[in-house]
Amino acid sequence: MTAVPLSDDIALRIGLAARILPEIDVARLLRVLETTLGLPPTADKLDRLRLRDLRQGADGALADLEPERLRDALAILKGEAGETQPPPLPEPYLEGELPDSIRVACTSDSGEQLDGHFGAARRFLVYQVSAEAIRLIEVREIDDSQAEDDRNSYRAGLIADCQLLYVASIGGPAAAKVVKVDVHPIRVVDGGEARAHLRELQGVLAGHVPPWLAKAMGQAGARSGVAT
C-alpha cells in the first residue's frame, strides 16, 4: 500500500483503534478503511462508518471479537471517545502490611476506571484489598513490544503475583492464560470505578468467603510466605 496522507487527528484515531483491535495492525486497519470508505480516510467518511462495515472489511479477522471492543474501536475512529485521564499515584505499601488481604489487578485505560479490555488495556491497576482497607500499591504500564509472539502470556505474566483480575472484557484464550498463572478473572461488562467494585469485594471478604475466593486467598498467603 502506498503512503496515505493523514491528518494528525485521523492518524491518532487509527492508531488508538488498532490498539483496541490487536487482531489487526494499523496497516490492516487502513486496508479495511480503504475497502469500506475509500482513501484517504477523513473525519466525514469515518463518521459514516458502521460496525457492519468494520466486520465485513476485515474479512473475518474480527468475526469472533467481543462486541464491546468493536464498539469502542468504532467510537475512537469516529472521534467520539472521551479524553483519557492519567493513572492515579500508588500509595505506600509494605508486604504483609494488610493481614488477610488479597491482591487484585484491574485493567484500565483512564484514571482509576475499570474500563480496559485484557488484550488492549494500557495498564493494570494493582490493589491490596482486605475487609478493612483498599490500597492502590502499583500501576503497571503495558508495553506489548515486550510480548514477542504471545501478547496474552506477556500480559498474564505482569499480574502473576495477583489472585484476582477485574476486566471489562476478555476472550477465552486470554482467560486461559490468566488462569494458568493462578489468577481468577472476573468480567465486569459495565466497567465503572475500580474502587466501587473493590468495595463490593470487601463486603465478601468481611462475610462468608466462597470456596473459590478462599482458595485464591490461600494462594495469596502461600506466595507471600504467610500461613493461612
Side-chain angles (χ1 to χ4, degrees):
M1 178 183 291
T2 58
V4 179
L6 300 174
S7 69
D8 290 344
D9 174 57
I10 297 301
L12 178 60
R13 292 191 202 180
I14 293 172
L16 291 175
R19 185 185 179 97
I20 292 289
L21 305 172
E23 293 78 6
I24 59 176
D25 57 17
V26 171
R28 178 72 180 277
L29 182 54
L30 274 171
R31 289 196 294 271
V32 171
L33 295 177
E34 179 182 18
T35 300
T36 57
L37 303 174
L39 296 180
T42 63
D44 287 341
K45 289 180 180 178
L46 290 171
D47 192 52
R48 299 195 299 270
L49 193 63
R50 298 169 297 175
L51 287 176
R52 184 176 63 184
D53 298 331
L54 279 179
R55 288 194 184 277
Q56 292 179 346
D59 194 25
L62 303 177
D64 297 326
L65 188 71
E66 301 95 329
E68 301 91 352
R69 189 139 55 99
L70 195 59
R71 282 194 290 268
D72 286 349
L74 182 63
I76 290 172
L77 289 170
K78 288 175 171 287
E80 297 171 354
E83 294 294 324
T84 59
Q85 300 175 358
L89 294 176
E91 305 162 65
Y93 174 73
L94 295 176
E95 195 66 48
E97 192 174 355
L98 295 178
D100 300 319
S101 63
I102 191 167
R103 188 161 295 176
V104 183
C106 296
T107 52
S108 181
D109 289 324
S110 178
E112 206 167 350
Q113 295 294 304
L114 170 58
D115 58 359
H117 304 286
F118 182 79
R122 293 181 174 88
R123 62 188 63 94
F124 292 112
L125 306 178
V126 179
Y127 297 86
Q128 202 72 24
V129 182
S130 70
E132 292 78 27
I134 298 172
R135 195 171 301 179
L136 176 66
I137 63 171
E138 199 171 348
V139 175
R140 298 178 184 172
E141 298 292 340
I142 299 170
D143 178 7
D144 284 323
S145 68
Q146 306 297 316
E148 298 181 352
D149 60 348
D150 193 338
R151 179 198 303 255
N152 289 334
S153 289
Y154 160 70
R155 288 176 173 245
L158 292 178
I159 57 170
D161 62 328
C162 300
Q163 289 74 53
L164 300 182
L165 166 68
Y166 280 68
V167 59
S169 181
I170 186 169
K177 295 294 176 67
V178 171
V179 171
K180 188 175 181 180
V181 295
D182 291 328
V183 178
H184 185 95
I186 299 175
R187 191 164 177 252
V188 185
V189 176
D190 294 334
E193 294 183 6
R195 287 183 186 263
H197 297 287
L198 297 179
R199 285 192 289 270
E200 293 179 4
L201 175 60
Q202 279 187 299
V204 177
L205 293 175
H208 181 68
V209 178
W212 67 267
L213 184 53
K215 179 181 178 182
M217 294 179 71
Q219 292 167 351
R223 294 182 197 182
S224 64
V226 177
T228 57

